[in-house]
Structure formats: structure tokens, C-alpha cells
Amino acid sequence: MTVASKAPEYIRRISPYEPGKPIGELAREMGIPEAGIVKLASNENPLGMSSLAKEAAAAALVAGERYPDGNAFDLKAALCSRFGVQPDQLVIGNGSNDVLELAARAFLGAGRSAVFSQHAFAVYALSTNATGAVGIEVPAKNFGHDLQAMAAAIRPDTRIVFIANPNNPTGTFLDGAAIEAFLASVPSDVLVVLDEAYTEYLGAQQRYDSLAWLPRFPNLLVSRTMSKAYGLAGLRVGYGIGHPEVADLMNRVRQPFNVSSVALAAAVAALSDVEFLERTADLNSRGMAQITEALAELSLEWIPSAGNFLAFKVGDAAAVNRALLQQGVIVRPIAGYGLPEWLRVSIGLPEENARFIAALRQALS
Ligand SMILES: *Cc1c(COP(=O)(O)O)cnc(C)c1O
């Protein structure tokens, strides 16, 4: 008997998360320079990070020998003044993946279950399975969450429902009224984790205020990230906002120093750069138009997306992906999400989008 064979069965069953291929890896595999590679695979911000965040991160590096503030006082203060919440409602995560996992660790375990949608963000199943709980995957409706079916799938042992809005990798969007009605239909002792990783990309008509629901729904946890629109994916900061009792439990299972001092400083500065956020959203909507126009010309089907990425159908996705990689363009195969004929592309700079479009045309010809 090997030591690995003695790990719990629920751990050994976990299928690993498949990240976007790093630029350095493709450069090594293809023997091409990194500068010639376009990566549109991980929904990163093509503008990079705000210069304010960069400066704050560099300044924080100087005191790298000190442990970070485990209570994230400055970041919590910035979030509180921005969103009108109290510090005891906050959980700061090492990326919002950490927030999702802290919710799972605090509320799940053997003999419990979590509900999430087919084609939803992979981390819901991963964090659920890592606790020994059972994941209940509810069939999607038009590639998005079927909230009625999800409510009906809740069992007596269900402790969390995960909702991604917009969802990754499909980009599907639920309007605020639908989520609010869903919250009213869920038992009050089931935590609803509303993952709003792409909320900063929503158009004016799509916006809704989930934080305003918190007083009515103490079982709501809103999860957000600094990785996407704020451009801090490499630094790892996310946050959860919920009822103080929920935040307290999650903070108890959180590593005391889970977010680095560099990341905390960058996050505070990034939050203050409203102009950067506007430029980001604006660039994204123009890039989305650029890419959907090209997909229409190529007669390809795509799922309308509310995020900074787009899923499109190519048939033999593995082959098309290979042909794109050979041309130095990295997108994301999503077969692991139950979409084997589809690829997901992140919206980049205009010239990156153009490189992707040209490479796709070539790959399909
Ligand atoms: C990218 C993403 C996250 C955020 O990941 P981080 O850990 O914050 O980098 C969370 N949820 C969804 C749906 C995502 O696509």
C-alpha cells in the first residue's frame, strides 16, 4: 500500500483544475519567443494593472520581511467606504478562489452537499469535493444557471448553493430580479455564494446591487475579485461580503496571513483607480464587438457574454486549439466544463484580438 492510496477517497477522486497555458510553457514547447505569443486564456486584464497599484505594490515590497496585516485593516477600510459595509462583514481571500474555499470549509464536509450549475466555474465542485461533501450539478438552461431547477435540487443536507454571475466559462448572465427571487425561495439556513468575479464588466442596464440584499438575506455571501477588471490576477486578492456571523466562521478557518502585504497594498490602490476601471470596461466592450463581428463572418456560434471572455463553437475544439497554439495564440479549451466543441477566448487589446481572429481564420481554413 502506498501512502497516496491512503488519502481519503473523496480527495483521490478530484480531477485537477486545468489552468490556461502559461506563455513561458508554450514558448518552450514551440521554440518561439515569448514576445510573439498572445495569451487570451485566463480572462486577465489586457491593460495590465493600474499604475497606482503597481506603485503601491513596489512600495510594499520594501517591508517584505514583515508579516502582512492578517486583519487587512486598510483594505477593509477601503472596501467599507466604497461599498457601505462594515469590516466584520468582510473576508479577504488569496484570490476569490480562497473565499470560495473558505465558504466550503466553513459550511461543508462529509454528509453535506452543495448545489451548482452544469458548465459553472470549476472551483465550486473542487472546493466542495475537497471537504468530502457531495456536489449536485444541475443541468444548465441555455448554457446558464436554471435557478428554478437549482432551488428544486436543494436537499435537507445542502449547505451551500454556488451561483456565478456572470458565469465563467459561458459568460451567461442572470438579471438582479431573478437572483433576488431565487434568494427568497432558498431556505434561510442554506448559504448562497454569489460569485461576482466579472461584475465590474456589466453594462449599465445589467447592473444590480446585491449588497443591498444582505440585510434581508443573512444567508447571502457575495464574492468578488481583484483578479479580473482590477488586473491583479498574479497578486491574488479577492473578498467576500456577508453576514458578520458568516464572515466570522470563514475567518476562523482562514490562514492568518493568507494575503501578502504586496497584494494588500496593491488592492487598496487599485480600488481607488476608478478611471482605470472605466477604461477597462470600455476596452472590453469594444473588443467584444471586434471578436463577435469576426465570429459572425466565420459563421461560428457563440454564447452572448457579460464578462471579459467569450465561448464559441468550433466543432473539433482540440484540433482548432492546436492550430491556434502553433500560431502562438493561447485560448482555453473547455471540454472539462462539458463543452468539448467549444473554446473560450478572453478579450484582449485590439491588436491581440486581431491576432486571434487571423489565427482562427487560418486554423479553420
Ligand atoms: C476568475 C474567477 C474567479 C476569481 O479567481 P481569483 O481566485 O479571484 O483569481 C472567481 N470566480 C469566477 C467565476 C472566475 O471566473
Side-chain angles (χ1 to χ4, degrees), residues 322-355:
R322 260 194 314 278
L324 291 173
L325 289 173
Q326 277 159 2
Q327 299 174 77
V329 173
I330 311 176
V331 299
R332 187 73 150 268
I334 47 177
Y337 285 88
L339 296 164
E341 299 190 322
W342 298 70
L343 292 171
R344 189 197 70 192
V345 62
S346 306
I347 309 303
L349 298 170
E351 55 272 28
E352 293 174 321
N353 301 335
R355 268 283 304 276

Side-chain angles (χ1 to χ4, degrees), residues 17-38:
Y17 181 81
E18 291 173 35
K21 192 186 264 297
I23 291 175
E25 190 177 307
L26 183 64
R28 284 192 299 276
E29 284 174 8
M30 298 280 170
I32 47 181
E34 293 198 4
I37 292 174
V38 170

